[in-house]
Amino acid sequence: MARSYVHEARRRGLGRRRERTVPIIERLAESLPEATIALRFRSNLELLVSVMLSAQTTDVNVNRVTEKLFRKYRRPEDYLAVPQEELERDIYTSGFFRQKTKSIRGTMRVLLEEFDGEVPTRLEDLTRLPGVARKTANVVSSELGHAQGIVVDTHVRRLSQRLGLTRQEDPVKIERDLQKIVPRADWARFPHLLIWHGRRVCDARRPLCEECVIEGLCPSSRLR
Ligand code: SF4
């Protein structure tokens, strides 16, 4: 399916994906100035924990959990000072609480032992933390102003395919495609723009093409 949209863009004379990408970013940025991360955090550590908790659940749910959590746990040491079961209870409603507790405590240990208790910004350092995979590392480094990749979640995957920016299905390959066409300065905001556009306008089942600011650049538009 993704393959056909890349061809469809050519067939409709919309231009190459490299030429369409910057106008897509500009138009979305203009229409969605509020498109930023939905997780609430006040420090680098809170950002890291929030992103780790967000696996398999919604940002709204994570914010609900962290509102209390971050009042109690302020430093890496705090996550290790309580029994494992207590942290499990405190993050229980975020789902997969056992695995997440294990990852968070393991991460805090490595932060203290190897990074002076600070959250690193380099992707290769972040991915050394237990339970921190490439996507989590990408989100954290991007939010900290050191984007070294492009976050590809389900929305970014779907929208990139629908816009004919990639033929790939695998997130790592999609990221590689996007890195070639998205200007580096936009690596951090690009995923937010697609995520917000996907939620507000380009719904998976019922896209509102008639209200879409990038309709003229989209090979999946239902208006033509
Ligand atoms: S034109 Fe339609 S399918 Fe294309 S991005 Fe806009 S809403 Fe989505």
Side-chain angles (χ1 to χ4, degrees):
M1 182 182 69
R3 179 181 294 273
S4 69
Y5 289 133
V6 175
H7 288 297
E8 184 61 18
R10 291 219 192 117
R11 200 186 67 76
R12 294 190 188 191
L14 300 177
R16 294 177 168 276
R17 38 187 158 165
R18 194 180 290 278
E19 293 154 8
R20 288 185 293 120
T21 305
V22 171
I24 285 173
I25 293 170
E26 284 171 354
R27 288 187 204 177
L28 289 180
E30 206 173 304
S31 73
L32 294 165
E34 70 281 39
T36 51
I37 191 164
L39 295 169
R40 286 200 217 108
F41 56 91
R42 287 157 307 173
S43 68
N44 298 359
L45 186 68
E46 289 187 0
L47 166 66
L48 176 61
V49 173
S50 294
V51 181
M52 291 177 82
L53 288 175
S54 70
Q56 314 287 334
T57 188
T58 63
D59 292 346
V60 173
N61 194 29
V62 173
N63 289 339
R64 229 177 266 141
V65 172
T66 56
E67 198 184 339
K68 269 199 204 154
L69 189 77
F70 292 156
R71 266 186 248 137
K72 180 168 167 186
Y73 302 85
R74 293 171 185 268
R75 304 164 309 146
E77 293 89 330
D78 299 336
Y79 290 89
L80 299 168
V82 296
Q84 181 168 321
E85 298 71 31
E86 188 171 333
L87 182 56
E88 283 179 357
R89 266 199 309 278
D90 289 338
I91 65 161
Y92 175 77
T93 51
S94 75
F96 298 93
F97 62 95
R98 284 210 179 92
Q99 186 53 46
K100 288 180 183 175
T101 296
K102 224 168 122 199
S103 299
I104 290 172
R105 281 164 66 92
T107 284
M108 297 305 152
R109 248 177 239 121
V110 178
L111 286 185
L112 289 167
E113 283 164 14
E114 298 183 30
F115 298 100
D116 290 331
E118 300 291 329
V119 177
T121 55
R122 293 189 326 162
L123 220 52
E124 57 264 48
D125 290 335
L126 282 162
T127 48
R128 276 174 52 210
L129 303 171
V132 175
R134 184 175 174 90
K135 193 182 125 213
T136 302
N138 255 337
V139 175
V140 172
S141 60
S142 294
E143 288 310 311
L144 296 180
H146 300 271
Q148 292 142 74
I150 297 175
V151 176
V152 177
D153 71 352
T154 50
H155 292 282
V156 175
R157 179 170 176 264
R158 178 173 69 80
L159 269 283
S160 299
Q161 292 173 340
R162 194 171 256 190
L163 287 165
L165 301 181
T166 183
R167 294 185 172 97
Q168 302 295 339
E169 294 287 339
D170 174 58
V172 175
K173 290 183 182 163
I174 292 174
E175 183 181 353
R176 225 174 280 149
D177 273 357
L178 294 176
Q179 283 177 321
K180 287 185 206 142
I181 55 176
V182 175
R184 193 159 182 138
D186 291 317
W187 282 9
R189 72 170 172 169
F190 182 75
H192 293 312
L193 293 172
L194 290 199
I195 291 165
W196 282 63
H197 185 62
R199 285 194 188 132
R200 294 256 176 97
V201 180
C202 191
D203 180 75
R205 293 212 189 117
R206 296 184 52 217
L208 303 171
C209 301
E210 59 287 349
E211 293 176 21
C212 178
V213 293
I214 52 173
E215 190 274 326
L217 297 160
C218 176
S220 311
S221 167
R222 298 184 175 188
L223 303 187
R224 273 170 282 136

Coordinates of all heavy atoms in Angstrom, one line a residue, residues 139-214:
V139 N 13.2 10.2 21.1 CA 12.3 11.2 21.7 C 13.0 12.1 22.7 O 13.0 13.3 22.7 CB 11.1 10.5 22.4 CG1 10.2 11.5 23.1 CG2 10.3 9.7 21.4
V140 N 13.8 11.4 23.5 CA 14.5 12.1 24.6 C 15.5 13.1 24.0 O 15.6 14.3 24.3 CB 15.2 11.2 25.6 CG1 16.0 11.9 26.6 CG2 14.1 10.4 26.4
S141 N 16.4 12.6 23.1 CA 17.4 13.5 22.6 C 16.8 14.6 21.8 O 17.3 15.7 21.8 CB 18.5 12.7 21.8 OG 17.8 12.0 20.7
S142 N 15.7 14.4 21.1 CA 15.1 15.4 20.3 C 14.6 16.5 21.2 O 14.7 17.7 21.0 CB 13.9 14.9 19.5 OG 14.4 14.0 18.5
E143 N 13.9 16.1 22.3 CA 13.3 17.1 23.2 C 14.4 17.9 23.9 O 14.2 19.0 24.3 CB 12.4 16.4 24.2 CG 11.1 15.9 23.7 CD 10.3 16.9 22.9 OE1 10.2 18.0 23.4 OE2 9.9 16.6 21.8
L144 N 15.6 17.3 24.1 CA 16.6 18.0 24.8 C 17.5 18.8 23.8 O 18.5 19.4 24.2 CB 17.6 16.9 25.5 CG 16.9 16.1 26.6 CD1 17.9 15.2 27.2 CD2 16.3 17.1 27.7
G145 N 17.0 18.9 22.5 CA 17.6 19.8 21.6 C 18.8 19.2 20.9 O 19.6 19.9 20.3
H146 N 18.9 17.8 20.9 CA 20.0 17.2 20.3 C 19.5 16.1 19.3 O 20.0 14.9 19.4 CB 21.0 16.6 21.3 CG 21.6 17.6 22.2 ND1 22.7 18.2 22.0 CD2 21.1 18.1 23.4 CE1 23.0 19.1 23.0 NE2 22.0 19.0 23.8
A147 N 18.5 16.4 18.5 CA 18.0 15.3 17.7 C 19.0 14.7 16.8 O 19.8 15.3 16.1 CB 16.9 15.9 16.8
Q148 N 19.1 13.3 16.9 CA 20.1 12.6 16.1 C 19.4 11.6 15.2 O 20.0 10.8 14.5 CB 21.1 11.9 17.0 CG 22.0 12.8 17.7 CD 22.3 12.3 19.1 OE1 23.0 11.4 19.3 NE2 21.6 12.9 20.1
G149 N 18.1 11.6 15.2 CA 17.3 10.8 14.4 C 15.8 11.3 14.3 O 15.6 12.4 14.8
I150 N 14.9 10.6 13.7 CA 13.5 11.0 13.6 C 12.7 10.0 14.3 O 12.8 8.8 13.9 CB 13.1 11.3 12.1 CG1 14.0 12.4 11.5 CG2 11.7 11.6 12.0 CD1 13.8 12.6 10.0
V151 N 11.8 10.4 15.2 CA 11.0 9.5 15.9 C 9.9 8.9 14.9 O 9.2 9.7 14.2 CB 10.2 10.2 17.1 CG1 9.3 9.2 17.7 CG2 11.2 10.7 18.1
V152 N 9.8 7.6 14.8 CA 8.8 7.0 14.0 C 7.9 6.1 14.9 O 8.3 5.0 15.3 CB 9.5 6.1 12.9 CG1 8.4 5.4 12.1 CG2 10.3 6.9 12.0
D153 N 6.7 6.7 15.2 CA 5.7 5.9 15.9 C 4.6 5.5 14.9 O 4.8 5.7 13.7 CB 5.2 6.7 17.1 CG 4.3 7.8 16.7 OD1 4.2 8.1 15.5 OD2 3.7 8.5 17.6
T154 N 3.5 5.0 15.4 CA 2.5 4.5 14.5 C 1.9 5.6 13.6 O 1.7 5.4 12.5 CB 1.4 3.8 15.2 OG1 0.9 4.7 16.3 CG2 1.8 2.5 15.8
H155 N 1.8 6.8 14.2 CA 1.2 8.0 13.5 C 2.2 8.4 12.4 O 1.8 8.6 11.2 CB 1.0 9.2 14.3 CG -0.2 9.0 15.3 ND1 -1.5 9.0 15.0 CD2 -0.1 8.7 16.6 CE1 -2.2 8.8 16.0 NE2 -1.4 8.6 17.1
V156 N 3.5 8.5 12.8 CA 4.5 9.0 11.8 C 4.6 8.0 10.7 O 4.7 8.3 9.5 CB 5.9 9.2 12.5 CG1 6.9 9.5 11.5 CG2 5.8 10.3 13.6
R157 N 4.5 6.7 11.0 CA 4.6 5.6 10.0 C 3.4 5.8 9.0 O 3.6 5.8 7.8 CB 4.5 4.3 10.7 CG 4.6 3.1 9.9 CD 4.8 1.8 10.8 NE 4.7 0.6 10.0 CZ 3.6 -0.1 9.9 NH1 2.5 0.3 10.5 NH2 3.7 -1.2 9.2
R158 N 2.3 5.9 9.6 CA 1.0 5.9 8.7 C 1.0 7.2 7.9 O 0.8 7.1 6.7 CB -0.2 5.9 9.7 CG -1.5 6.0 9.0 CD -2.6 5.8 10.0 NE -2.8 6.9 10.9 CZ -3.4 8.1 10.6 NH1 -3.9 8.3 9.4 NH2 -3.5 9.0 11.6
L159 N 1.3 8.3 8.4 CA 1.3 9.6 7.7 C 2.4 9.6 6.6 O 2.2 10.1 5.5 CB 1.4 10.8 8.6 CG 0.1 11.4 9.2 CD1 -0.6 12.3 8.2 CD2 -0.9 10.4 9.7
S160 N 3.6 9.2 7.0 CA 4.7 9.2 6.0 C 4.3 8.3 4.8 O 4.6 8.7 3.7 CB 6.0 8.6 6.6 OG 6.4 9.4 7.7
Q161 N 3.7 7.2 5.1 CA 3.3 6.3 4.0 C 2.2 7.0 3.1 O 2.2 7.1 1.9 CB 2.8 5.0 4.5 CG 3.9 4.2 5.1 CD 3.4 2.9 5.8 OE1 2.2 2.8 6.1 NE2 4.3 2.0 6.0
R162 N 1.2 7.5 3.8 CA 0.0 8.1 3.2 C 0.5 9.3 2.3 O -0.1 9.6 1.3 CB -1.0 8.6 4.3 CG -2.3 8.9 3.7 CD -3.3 9.1 4.8 NE -4.2 8.0 5.0 CZ -5.3 8.0 5.8 NH1 -5.6 9.0 6.5 NH2 -6.0 6.9 5.8
L163 N 1.5 10.1 2.8 CA 1.9 11.2 2.1 C 2.9 10.8 1.0 O 3.5 11.7 0.3 CB 2.6 12.2 3.0 CG 1.6 13.0 3.9 CD1 2.4 13.7 5.1 CD2 0.9 14.0 3.1
G164 N 3.2 9.6 0.8 CA 4.1 9.1 -0.2 C 5.5 9.5 0.1 O 6.3 9.8 -0.9
L165 N 5.9 9.6 1.3 CA 7.3 10.0 1.7 C 8.2 8.7 1.8 O 9.4 8.8 1.9 CB 7.4 10.8 2.9 CG 6.5 12.1 2.9 CD1 6.7 12.9 4.2 CD2 7.0 13.0 1.7
T166 N 7.6 7.6 1.9 CA 8.3 6.3 2.1 C 7.5 5.2 1.5 O 6.3 5.2 1.5 CB 8.7 6.0 3.6 OG1 9.5 4.9 3.6 CG2 7.4 5.9 4.4
R167 N 8.3 4.2 1.0 CA 7.6 3.0 0.6 C 7.7 1.9 1.7 O 7.2 0.8 1.5 CB 8.3 2.4 -0.6 CG 8.2 3.2 -1.9 CD 8.9 2.4 -3.0 NE 8.7 3.0 -4.3 CZ 9.6 3.8 -4.8 NH1 10.7 4.1 -4.2 NH2 9.3 4.4 -6.0
Q168 N 8.5 2.2 2.7 CA 8.9 1.1 3.7 C 7.8 0.9 4.7 O 6.9 1.7 4.9 CB 10.2 1.6 4.4 CG 11.3 1.8 3.5 CD 11.8 0.6 2.8 OE1 11.5 -0.6 3.2 NE2 12.5 0.7 1.6
E169 N 7.9 -0.3 5.3 CA 7.0 -0.7 6.4 C 7.7 -0.7 7.8 O 7.1 -0.4 8.8 CB 6.4 -2.1 6.2 CG 5.5 -2.2 5.0 CD 4.1 -1.6 5.2 OE1 3.7 -1.4 6.3 OE2 3.5 -1.2 4.2
D170 N 9.0 -1.0 7.7 CA 9.8 -1.1 8.9 C 10.2 0.3 9.5 O 10.7 1.1 8.7 CB 11.0 -2.0 8.6 CG 11.9 -2.0 9.8 OD1 11.5 -2.5 10.8 OD2 13.1 -1.6 9.6
P171 N 9.9 0.5 10.8 CA 10.2 1.9 11.3 C 11.7 2.3 11.1 O 11.9 3.5 10.8 CB 9.9 1.7 12.8 CG 8.9 0.6 12.9 CD 9.3 -0.3 11.8
V172 N 12.6 1.4 11.2 CA 14.0 1.8 11.1 C 14.3 2.3 9.6 O 14.9 3.3 9.4 CB 15.0 0.6 11.4 CG1 16.4 1.0 11.1 CG2 14.8 0.3 12.9
K173 N 13.7 1.6 8.7 CA 13.8 1.9 7.2 C 13.1 3.2 6.9 O 13.5 4.0 6.1 CB 13.4 0.8 6.3 CG 14.3 -0.4 6.4 CD 13.8 -1.5 5.5 CE 14.7 -2.7 5.6 NZ 14.1 -3.9 5.0
I174 N 11.9 3.4 7.6 CA 11.2 4.6 7.3 C 12.0 5.8 7.9 O 12.1 6.8 7.2 CB 9.8 4.5 8.1 CG1 8.9 3.5 7.4 CG2 9.1 5.9 8.1 CD1 7.6 3.3 8.1
E175 N 12.6 5.6 9.0 CA 13.4 6.7 9.6 C 14.6 7.0 8.7 O 14.8 8.2 8.4 CB 14.0 6.3 11.0 CG 14.8 7.4 11.6 CD 15.4 7.0 13.0 OE1 15.1 5.9 13.5 OE2 16.2 7.8 13.5
R176 N 15.2 6.0 8.1 CA 16.3 6.3 7.2 C 15.8 7.1 6.0 O 16.4 8.0 5.5 CB 16.9 4.9 6.7 CG 18.4 4.9 6.8 CD 18.9 3.5 6.4 NE 18.9 2.6 7.6 CZ 18.7 1.3 7.5 NH1 18.5 0.7 6.3 NH2 18.7 0.6 8.6
D177 N 14.6 6.7 5.4 CA 14.1 7.5 4.3 C 13.8 8.9 4.7 O 14.1 9.8 3.9 CB 12.7 6.9 3.9 CG 12.9 5.7 2.9 OD1 14.1 5.5 2.5 OD2 11.9 5.1 2.5
L178 N 13.2 9.1 5.9 CA 12.9 10.5 6.3 C 14.1 11.3 6.5 O 14.1 12.5 6.2 CB 12.0 10.4 7.6 CG 10.6 9.8 7.4 CD1 9.9 9.7 8.7 CD2 9.8 10.6 6.4
Q179 N 15.1 10.7 7.1 CA 16.4 11.4 7.3 C 17.0 12.0 6.0 O 17.7 13.0 6.1 CB 17.4 10.6 8.0 CG 17.1 10.4 9.5 CD 18.1 9.4 10.2 OE1 18.5 8.4 9.6 NE2 18.4 9.7 11.4
K180 N 16.7 11.4 4.9 CA 17.2 11.8 3.6 C 16.5 13.0 3.1 O 17.0 13.8 2.3 CB 17.2 10.7 2.6 CG 18.2 9.6 2.8 CD 18.1 8.6 1.7 CE 18.6 7.3 2.2 NZ 17.8 6.1 1.6
I181 N 15.2 13.2 3.5 CA 14.4 14.3 2.9 C 14.0 15.4 3.9 O 13.6 16.5 3.4 CB 13.2 13.7 2.2 CG1 12.3 12.8 3.1 CG2 13.6 12.9 0.9 CD1 11.0 12.3 2.5
V182 N 14.0 15.1 5.2 CA 13.6 16.1 6.2 C 14.9 16.9 6.6 O 15.9 16.3 7.0 CB 13.0 15.5 7.4 CG1 12.7 16.5 8.5 CG2 11.7 14.7 7.0
P183 N 14.9 18.2 6.4 CA 16.0 19.0 6.8 C 16.4 18.7 8.3 O 15.5 18.6 9.1 CB 15.6 20.5 6.7 CG 14.5 20.4 5.7 CD 13.8 19.1 5.9
R184 N 17.7 18.6 8.6 CA 18.1 18.2 9.9 C 17.5 19.1 11.0 O 17.1 18.7 12.1 CB 19.6 18.3 10.0 CG 20.1 17.6 11.2 CD 21.5 17.1 11.2 NE 21.6 16.4 12.5 CZ 22.2 15.3 12.7 NH1 22.8 14.7 11.7 NH2 22.3 14.7 13.9
A185 N 17.4 20.4 10.7 CA 16.8 21.3 11.7 C 15.4 21.0 12.1 O 14.9 21.5 13.1 CB 16.9 22.8 11.2
D186 N 14.7 20.2 11.2 CA 13.3 19.9 11.5 C 13.1 18.5 12.0 O 12.0 18.0 12.2 CB 12.5 20.0 10.2 CG 12.4 21.4 9.8 OD1 12.1 22.3 10.6 OD2 12.5 21.7 8.5
W187 N 14.2 17.8 12.3 CA 14.1 16.4 12.8 C 13.3 16.3 14.1 O 12.5 15.3 14.2 CB 15.5 15.7 13.0 CG 16.1 15.3 11.7 CD1 15.7 15.6 10.4 CD2 17.3 14.6 11.5 NE1 16.5 15.1 9.5 CE2 17.6 14.4 10.2 CE3 18.2 14.0 12.5 CZ2 18.6 13.7 9.7 CZ3 19.3 13.3 12.0 CH2 19.5 13.1 10.6
A188 N 13.4 17.2 15.0 CA 12.7 17.1 16.2 C 11.2 17.4 16.1 O 10.3 16.8 16.6 CB 13.3 18.1 17.3
R189 N 10.9 18.5 15.3 CA 9.4 18.9 15.2 C 8.6 18.1 14.2 O 7.4 18.0 14.3 CB 9.3 20.4 15.0 CG 9.6 20.8 13.6 CD 9.2 22.3 13.4 NE 9.7 22.8 12.1 CZ 9.4 24.0 11.6 NH1 8.5 24.7 12.3 NH2 9.8 24.4 10.5
F190 N 9.3 17.5 13.2 CA 8.6 16.8 12.1 C 7.6 15.7 12.7 O 6.5 15.7 12.3 CB 9.6 16.1 11.2 CG 9.0 15.4 10.0 CD1 8.4 16.1 9.0 CD2 9.0 14.0 10.0 CE1 7.9 15.4 7.9 CE2 8.4 13.3 9.0 CZ 7.8 14.0 7.9
P191 N 8.1 14.8 13.6 CA 7.1 13.8 14.1 C 5.9 14.5 14.9 O 4.8 14.0 14.7 CB 8.0 13.0 15.1 CG 9.4 13.3 14.8 CD 9.4 14.7 14.2
H192 N 6.2 15.5 15.6 CA 5.1 16.2 16.3 C 4.0 16.7 15.3 O 2.8 16.6 15.5 CB 5.6 17.4 17.1 CG 6.4 16.9 18.3 ND1 6.1 15.9 19.1 CD2 7.6 17.4 18.7 CE1 7.0 15.8 20.0 NE2 8.0 16.6 19.8
L193 N 4.5 17.3 14.2 CA 3.6 17.8 13.2 C 2.7 16.7 12.6 O 1.5 16.8 12.4 CB 4.4 18.5 12.1 CG 5.1 19.8 12.5 CD1 6.0 20.3 11.4 CD2 4.1 20.9 12.9
L194 N 3.4 15.6 12.3 CA 2.6 14.5 11.7 C 1.6 13.9 12.7 O 0.5 13.5 12.4 CB 3.5 13.4 11.2 CG 4.4 13.7 9.9 CD1 4.9 12.3 9.3 CD2 3.6 14.5 8.9
I195 N 2.1 13.7 14.0 CA 1.2 13.2 15.0 C 0.0 14.0 15.2 O -1.1 13.6 15.2 CB 2.0 13.0 16.3 CG1 3.1 11.9 16.2 CG2 1.1 12.7 17.5 CD1 4.1 11.8 17.3
W196 N 0.2 15.3 15.3 CA -0.9 16.2 15.6 C -1.8 16.3 14.4 O -3.1 16.3 14.5 CB -0.4 17.6 15.9 CG 0.0 17.7 17.4 CD1 1.1 17.0 17.9 CD2 -0.5 18.5 18.4 NE1 1.2 17.3 19.2 CE2 0.2 18.2 19.6 CE3 -1.6 19.4 18.5 CZ2 0.0 18.8 20.8 CZ3 -1.8 20.0 19.7 CH2 -1.1 19.7 20.9
H197 N -1.2 16.3 13.2 CA -2.0 16.4 12.0 C -2.9 15.1 11.8 O -4.0 15.1 11.5 CB -1.1 16.5 10.7 CG -1.9 16.7 9.4 ND1 -2.7 17.7 9.2 CD2 -1.9 15.9 8.3 CE1 -3.3 17.6 8.0 NE2 -2.8 16.5 7.5
G198 N -2.2 14.0 12.2 CA -2.9 12.7 12.2 C -4.1 12.7 13.1 O -5.2 12.1 12.8
R199 N -3.9 13.3 14.3 CA -5.0 13.3 15.3 C -6.1 14.2 14.9 O -7.3 13.9 15.1 CB -4.5 13.6 16.6 CG -3.7 12.5 17.3 CD -3.4 12.8 18.8 NE -2.5 11.8 19.3 CZ -1.5 12.2 20.1 NH1 -1.2 13.4 20.4 NH2 -0.7 11.2 20.5
R200 N -5.7 15.4 14.4 CA -6.7 16.5 14.2 C -7.5 16.3 12.8 O -8.6 16.6 12.7 CB -6.0 17.8 14.2 CG -5.5 18.2 15.5 CD -6.4 19.3 16.2 NE -5.9 19.6 17.5 CZ -5.1 20.7 17.7 NH1 -4.8 21.5 16.7 NH2 -4.8 20.9 18.9
V201 N -6.7 16.0 11.8 CA -7.3 16.1 10.4 C -7.2 14.8 9.7 O -8.2 14.3 9.1 CB -6.5 17.2 9.6 CG1 -7.1 17.3 8.2 CG2 -6.6 18.5 10.3
C202 N -6.0 14.1 9.7 CA -5.8 13.0 8.9 C -6.1 11.7 9.6 O -5.1 10.9 9.9 CB -4.5 13.0 8.2 SG -4.3 11.8 6.9
D203 N -7.3 11.5 10.0 CA -7.7 10.3 10.8 C -7.5 9.0 9.9 O -7.6 9.1 8.6 CB -9.2 10.4 11.1 CG -9.7 9.2 11.9 OD1 -9.3 9.0 13.1 OD2 -10.4 8.4 11.3
A204 N -7.1 7.9 10.5 CA -6.8 6.7 9.6 C -8.0 6.3 8.8 O -7.9 6.0 7.6 CB -6.4 5.6 10.6
R205 N -9.2 6.4 9.4 CA -10.4 5.9 8.6 C -11.1 7.1 7.9 O -11.6 6.9 6.8 CB -11.4 5.2 9.5 CG -10.8 4.0 10.1 CD -11.9 2.9 10.4 NE -11.2 1.8 11.1 CZ -11.5 1.5 12.3 NH1 -12.5 2.1 12.9 NH2 -10.9 0.5 12.9
R206 N -11.2 8.2 8.5 CA -11.9 9.3 7.9 C -11.1 10.6 7.9 O -11.3 11.5 8.6 CB -13.2 9.6 8.8 CG -14.2 8.4 8.8 CD -15.4 8.7 9.5 NE -16.1 9.9 9.0 CZ -16.7 10.7 9.8 NH1 -16.8 10.5 11.1 NH2 -17.2 11.8 9.3
P207 N -10.2 10.6 6.9 CA -9.4 11.9 6.8 C -10.2 13.0 6.3 O -11.1 12.8 5.4 CB -8.3 11.5 5.8 CG -8.9 10.3 5.0 CD -9.8 9.6 6.0
L208 N -10.0 14.2 6.9 CA -10.8 15.4 6.5 C -10.0 16.1 5.4 O -9.5 17.2 5.6 CB -11.0 16.3 7.7 CG -11.7 15.6 8.9 CD1 -11.7 16.5 10.1 CD2 -13.1 15.2 8.5
C209 N -10.0 15.5 4.2 CA -9.2 16.1 3.1 C -9.6 17.5 2.8 O -8.8 18.4 2.4 CB -9.2 15.2 1.9 SG -8.6 13.5 2.3
E210 N -10.9 17.8 2.9 CA -11.4 19.1 2.5 C -10.9 20.2 3.4 O -10.9 21.4 3.1 CB -12.9 19.1 2.4 CG -13.8 18.8 3.6 CD -13.7 17.3 3.9 OE1 -13.2 16.4 3.1 OE2 -14.1 16.9 5.0
E211 N -10.5 19.8 4.6 CA -9.9 20.8 5.6 C -8.4 20.8 5.7 O -7.8 21.5 6.5 CB -10.5 20.5 7.0 CG -12.0 20.7 7.1 CD -12.5 20.3 8.5 OE1 -11.7 20.3 9.4 OE2 -13.7 20.0 8.6
C212 N -7.8 20.0 4.9 CA -6.4 19.7 5.0 C -5.5 20.8 4.4 O -5.6 21.0 3.2 CB -6.1 18.3 4.5 SG -4.4 17.9 4.6
V213 N -4.5 21.3 5.1 CA -3.6 22.4 4.5 C -2.6 21.8 3.6 O -1.9 22.5 2.9 CB -2.9 23.2 5.7 CG1 -3.9 24.0 6.5 CG2 -2.1 22.3 6.6
I214 N -2.4 20.5 3.6 CA -1.4 19.9 2.7 C -2.1 19.1 1.6 O -1.4 18.2 1.0 CB -0.3 19.1 3.4 CG1 -1.0 18.1 4.4 CG2 0.6 20.0 4.2 CD1 0.0 17.1 5.0

